[in-house]
Amino acid sequence: MNQEVEWAEPSKDESRRCELRHPDLRCLHPLKTPPRCHATSPYSPLRCRNCRSVISPFSIVDFSSINKIWICSFCLQRNHFPPHYQSISEQNLPAELFPQYTTIEYETSAVHEKAQAGSSNVFLFVVDTCVIEEELGFLKSALLQVLGMVPENCLIGLITFGTYVHVHELGFGQLPKVHVFKGTKEVTKDQLLEQMGFFTKRPRPTTGVIAGVRDGLSQESVARFLLPASDCEFVLNSILEELQKDPWPVPSDQRAARCTGTALSLAAHLLGVCVPGSGARIMAFLGGPSTEGPGAIVSKNLSEPIRSHKDLDKDSVPHYHKAVKFYEALSKQLVHQGHVLDVFACALDQVGVAELKVAIEKTGGLVVLAESFGHSVFKDSLRRVFQSGDNDLGLSSNGIFEINCSKDIKIQGIIGPCASLDKKGPLCSETVIGQGNTTAWKLCGLDKTTSLCIIFDVIKKENPDIVAQSANNQFFFQFLTYYQHGSGQMRLRATTLSRRWVAGPGIKEDLISGFDQEAAAVVMARQVSFKMETEAEFDPIRWLDKSLIHICSQFGEYQKDSPSSFSLSLDYQYFHSSCSIYAVHNSSSDFFMAHVNPLGSMGQVKNLQLSGRHAGDFQFMNGAGLLLCHQSMFGSEDWGRTGTREVVGPCLVGGFDPLPALTLPHLPLVFNNSLMTAYFRMILNSENIANSVVMIQPSLISYSFQSGPEPALLDVASIAADRILLLDSYFTIVVFHGSTIAQWRKAGYHELPEHQAFAHLLQAPRDDADAIIRERFPVPRLVICDQHGSQARFLLAKLNPSATYNSDGVAPGGDIIFTDDVSFEVFLDHLQRLAVQ
Amino acid sequence: MATPGGPRPGNAPPNYNPNALANNMQNLQINQQQSSNVGGTAHRPPNTSPFGQQPPPFTGSRPGPIPPGVFARGPMPPSNPAQTTLPPNMVPTRPTGPPPGSRPPPFASRPPPPGALPSPITGTAAPPNSGAGPRPGPFSFSPLTSGPSAPPQMSSHGQVSNGPPAFGPGMAQSGPRFPPAMGGMPRPSGGPPQSPPVLSSGPSSQPLQVRPSFGSPPAGVSSSIGQLAPPFSTPSQAPPFSAPSPAPPFSASPQNMPPPPGSSPFSPPVPGVLHSSGSPFGMQTWPPQQQQQQQVAPPPLIPGAMQKQQMFGMPPGQPPLPNQSMSLGQTGQSKIDPNQIPRLSTSSSVILHETRHDNQANPPPPATSEYIVKDTGNCSPRYIRCTINQIPCTVDLLSTSAMQLALLVQPLALPHPSEEPIQVVDFGESGPVRCSRCKGYINPFMKFIDQGRRFICNFCGFTDETPRDYHCNLGPDGRRRDADERPELCRGTVEFIASKEYMVREPMPAVFFFLIDVSMNAIQTGATAAACSAISQVISDLPEGPRTMVGIATFDSTIHFYNLKRALQQPLMLIVPDVQDVYTPLESDVIVQLAECRQHLEILLESIPTMFQNNRIADSAFGAAVKAAFLAMKNTGGKLLVFQSVLPSTGIGSLSAREADGRSNISAGEKEAHKLLQPVDKTLKTMAIEFAEYQVCVDLFITTQTYVDIASLSVVPKTTGGQVYYYYPFSALSDAAKLYNDLRWNVMRPQGFEAVMRVRCSQGIQVQEYSGNFCKRIPTDVDLPAIDCDKTIMVSLKHDDKLQEGSECAFQCALLYTTVYGQRRIRVSTLSLPCTNMLSNLFRSADLDTQFACILKQAANEIPSGPLAQVRDQATNACINILYSYRKFCATVSSSGQLILPEALKLLPLYTLALLKSNGLRTDGRIDDRSFWMNYVSPLPTPLVIPLVYPRMIAIHELDEKELELDDSIIPTSIPLSSEHISDDGIYLLENGQDCLIYVGASVQQNVLQQLFGISSVEEISNQFILEQYDNQLSKKLNAIVNEIRRQRCSYLRLKLCKKGDSSGMMFFSYMVEDKTPSGLSYVEYLIHIHRQIQSKMT
């Protein structure tokens, strides 16, 4: 294989990075700079015959004996090398034993087999036709454009749906042919096999599972629905061109009958029947809420409003549980088949992502939310999916992720886009967080940015001494990922890491120095998000506050009961982390009050709720600021000594309960939806740390004539008339022109040759924004606005309200934020006070 | 009645000519012996007269136009003369003869006829005797009788009067005479006369031992002719009744008859009998009239006249009546001369029929004859026929007669091209004038009183105010002055434009949805291709205009719809895979205006067969497909035309091969066999009711080679006003043309949609039940998602009160429907019939065709609900009971040795026998064949009922020879269905309105084969046959004949070539209903059986 290409391939280690948030780990550097080096070996890996772990640089190799032997670093089993390794020596190491190759990728033997079966990637488009003609037009043109980008060997299928589900038979030469399924009725896989005529050419096998060409289906019957892009381009084009809006009439007091659930279920069945076990993506393009069939989230009657996130919390949504149950079943099926569900939801209305979430997340699907199929967020994101080159998403599929680790450590679970394979073993902890109780997970879809948050448990030892005595304090992790590469090859990527136990005096410093605050923040965020979803009575804010206070009191230096003495005398890095905390708070100004109040007066529930309400409004006004970020640390009293679990890190709260807007009644209620919540949580759960941190803490860069681009404080004070600010809050990128700049621009100075500098100044943030946009998926929304303009709210919503209408002496050219939220300083005050108690 | 006689005679004679003649001869001789003494002449006259009488009226009507021509046949007789059988010929001529006379002239004109008649009669009588004898016996007799008077004429007449044959002859002759008598005749005599031919079993027929016992004696009695005739004629004449000459059972009586018209009960020869019978009746009912008639009659033959007169009188009273009494010889010894047995004879002459004369209902011509109706107050018999043309005043009288009282209603029947079109009346927004109580529609029998300010409803008797705009003064005759200008006041049938209040929605468009089976079998047998091609051709025959909409779908184990919207480059196929819970894939665009989708349709129909060429799906989801198509049509309603080829095996309403391999016969041992003829469950029925509710009519074209459980499938068409077409075994080669033509007729024929029908009756009578292809949701109305000109509904009636003698009882059928062009109309047909207290009147005015149609339909209805033997017994019993009643109450005088048949019903035994041997009631049929038969029969129009059980058979090989003889009639006279008439060197065509078998004898001349079929030997005959026209006279004639039959039957006919010795030959011979078969009696045996049964009842 082309080594270079493989090298160029982004490593997935980043994902690992965030897992390794174990408090006991001392190996800080390796964590911070995870081994980026990896090689691709065109052969199968050597595996320990006892624990099946893969040979790694950490394995001890005995070159001396005649029969060369390697010792598994996990179980200490002695293994012989196979004959073709006979020539190895210390000077002649295979790639997998190079110390720097802690990550190595193998092309497994199954590659050729798979390739021959033609199981290249499969894209099954599921298109909503219950949209207005204009939207449908946008969607059609987007799809048509994308069709030209699909690699020729990819298989393509098409399902359209509205009141009914239309499964298009692309391989029927004579007429456009469509199988029409009723939207209100769920079809089983067996029924599908029966009804779509998979057994007409070949008798149905009497026993066994029927799926795919190898298990009882003829190639022709499969090829009716899934065709190589090159073969069906013409047909697809003509179908798409003639695609009509759902023809069933919609009474004026009703929503369109849209059977999203049935359509997705059919898509899953179809893939399950045709290409089980090989990479395939269902790409759903949704234009509104599902109102028909099993996945319905709301009734057709317009008098019934779409559920809000609050309704969900109050459990007063009639359709919710049924729908979630349905999608859970769907996700299980998809996971079982190894297929991915991607959702492109483009509507002002909700589309039911909250319900769909489980299926998307467990399969590692992509999700993109936009207001319209004509919006660049959608169009560009879709294009990105199929784009090849440097900025491709590196879409891979059908992965299985396994963990081996030393026996002192147990796995509690993973929070992230994966699904448990229920492979129980001695490594599983009794405590379960996320997808636990297993050592193997399914990653139906994975790409460059996929990241998993793995939570470990340190075995409690009766006798702490034993810990100290364990051999050179080292322990190991090995992460194995089998997956189907975009090219159709099956690969195995193995990453092996080693960490050291810390103990005894100086443990605090060791821990502090080994702390990765960014990763920790993301982990906390995921965990809180997870808890909010799974624990009915979970109060995220209180939990976060407690954690934060706890960590501050653990690691801060202070004199008891003297807030003024408090300082986080951590090393630079941790200080920076503290900034991060600060920033996190800033990222959602709305959160302050919610945060501060409980801190200041725990138990004043009333207060808390009120502030929460405000928070919600702001979040939705921002359009993106739904996630509440809150750094906190927590730990058990006897952590370190007893080896009890410790988790340190900032935390993120998702899905803040947004109540109806009180302060800004003009905001449309559609923002008050559970879709955004789900969207954010999903992205958060799968994005890599760098991006996740941006979600938690937007970055702000300032451009001015005075200096080059420089980071600016995420505070309203950063606004100045002669500055351009570039805000990256993950989903939105704002280019904010100070009032003077805006005036100049309007005057057209940048077009004058003598003012080229100004032109450059204007252009610089645009270029940077473009760079971000190019790399991010989903493609963020770009907002270009001027100070005092209506769009400026996109920026203001993210800034720390150090200056409000209550403040005095606002700097000239500056700005204020109309909020009752308190600023970070106030918050920090409270925190210090509580921490020192 | 008379008419029937008339036509029959016509045909009969021809038939007789061949072999019959010889037989007749023999019979005649026999009869002669017996009867001759009595006075052949005498007999003849009487017979003739009776027949004559009857015929005249009818014939009159038909002949009106053609009579002369018809008579032309006369020649035939001549040729046959030797045979004496000629009578038949004679007969025909007579009828025609009379008709003209009687008809046009009805009254006035009659005189002439008489003249003519007599002569014919005589002519025929003498010579032909024997010839006529066979069937016409009676007639022939009559001739005979008349013979004396007009012997010379005979010949000429004979030629002239073809029709009469059996009855005809008699009729004809009498007719003529009557005419003279006419004055009184026509109407005067109620029913008495009819008693006709008696089959005198009498002594064993000597010569005619053929069928020993009965026949012989009579035969013996009368002269050869007379004898033959007698059997038939006698019975018909009802001499029995006349009682006068008790003796007589046989010839004797007949003979006697003549002299004492009344007295000669038995005129052994027909005549005699007729007379006698006639007189008796006449005596009873119309004594005076008879007398008058007699007086009138005298001119011709005194005796005969008498009888004839009576006869005529009868007819007038009730139409045709003459009785056809067959006197069966005494059981044991008597032999019945097969040739004397009553047989069906049809006249090819056209009858002119006025529905009312002199303000009295005119009995309709036989349903099977060709006639032209002039609507003079009553509706044409095409629309409504009653089993009895006089209504019994009491329920007791009706039950005594053992006949049923029922109407056969065919509201959209196809008129004769020469008839006046139905007038359309527009009352504007107020809608037609109706009785405010019973909602009866205005009709000629509503009586206006009080200077026209009010009118009395002829149904409920309520007095209504005349709407102001509708007011008109009355003339001196008590009629409105404008009565003759207003169709609704002078026509039996009018059509009203429906006003808004008759619409629950806009009149629906004409929607045609084609549903085609494309499962493996259908494809491989070519059924799909045939269907597509047929549809493709038919598209251009669909009604033009924006209101015509078309949809198409195919199905195997799934259902494939096609989006035909014009905007699409190609039709889009939409598959509905869920056949347990179906739906329509699109709300619109599946059914599109024809004008918008022609191109798509053509492309699609062309490509369907290839598209599914390699289809390996054997399953067929009929029920689901029909349901899905229905859902697509639900908004509009319309016609759903389904082409199905295999047993539906999947989806809703799937069926299993209940009949093991689809072939097993039902043996007597299987007690539950009839359950196979019931639908397997209610699924399809429930669906069908829903269809009907939404005005969707399903027609089912079954093109199969296997069992498809028609019993279950047919429920859908039956309930929705559709019908089943059955092509078994389907041959892509020979059935494609029929499929196309059937489909074409299906869409082109006059028809209406979303119809509701109700029949109203005058007080005293009410509708008991409707039966036919429709859906009934409320007891009083019949819902017809679609109705066409071929659909008949049987309406059985019951008394709920006494009727007033001398009054009239009216029936009105109102059909509210939407035309294919989207106009909402109400077709109202009113029939007003006299009421009577006389049993004899009932018998005289019985309408054989209608009665038999009812018996047949009832039998069909009962088949699924009981053991076959029971149904068969019921049919026979129905026949026996009627004859018994007649024998007991109307022919008391005759000896018990005679089987006396009312003239009007003389063929009842034959038809009943044929019914027992029909597909539906025979014991060895396939289940599907029987189910189909039941279904076919259900909506069957009266004119097609008779041919169904007693098909028409003609000799083809003789076409050349007959060329000269046939002028205006394309179709040669038919031959009785007896293998005696099949010769090995002949080619015969047999048709029953559905199938057409051409039987090729084993030793047919090669050149004939070559000319007709382009083959050189019988061996080359293959199963699949297409009739081609070769460039020779014979072939052209055959084609012309077949085409004419197709035209008459409105059916393309399934042509099949049969040869002796294989299954096709067996099939052909299975239609020879007069033969003795392993499972059935011969005709003569059956008559004897019936006779015995009656005898045993008598004692």
Side-chain angles (χ1 to χ4, degrees), chain A residues 164 174 176 178 180 185 242 248, chain B residues 569 573 575 577-578 583-584:
Chain A
Y164 288 164
Q174 322 199 27
V178 167
V180 184
K185 191 174 168 187
E242 289 192 348
W248 294 86
Chain B
Q569 293 172 349
M573 186 197 280
I575 298 176
D578 188 345
Y583 38 88
T584 171

Side-chain angles (χ1 to χ4, degrees), chain B residues 583-604:
Chain B
Y583 38 88
T584 171
L586 278 181
E587 168 107 340
S588 52
D589 298 352
V590 164
I591 297 176
V592 187
Q593 283 188 6
L594 175 59
E596 281 188 12
C597 66
R598 262 178 215 279
Q599 246 185 331
H600 277 163
L601 261 186
E602 278 167 24
I603 297 171
L604 186 61

Side-chain angles (χ1 to χ4, degrees), chain B residues 33 48-49 130 262-263 291 345 354 415 473 509 622 635 816 868-869 961 966 979 1037 1049 1078:
Chain B
Q33 291 178 352
T48 56
S49 60
S130 63
S263 68
Q291 292 178 352
S345 56
E354 285 191 3
N473 281 325
F622 166 82
N635 287 340
L816 172 64
L868 190 58
E961 303 159 25
L966 303 165
S979 47
K1037 264 183 190 291
R1049 302 296 193 214

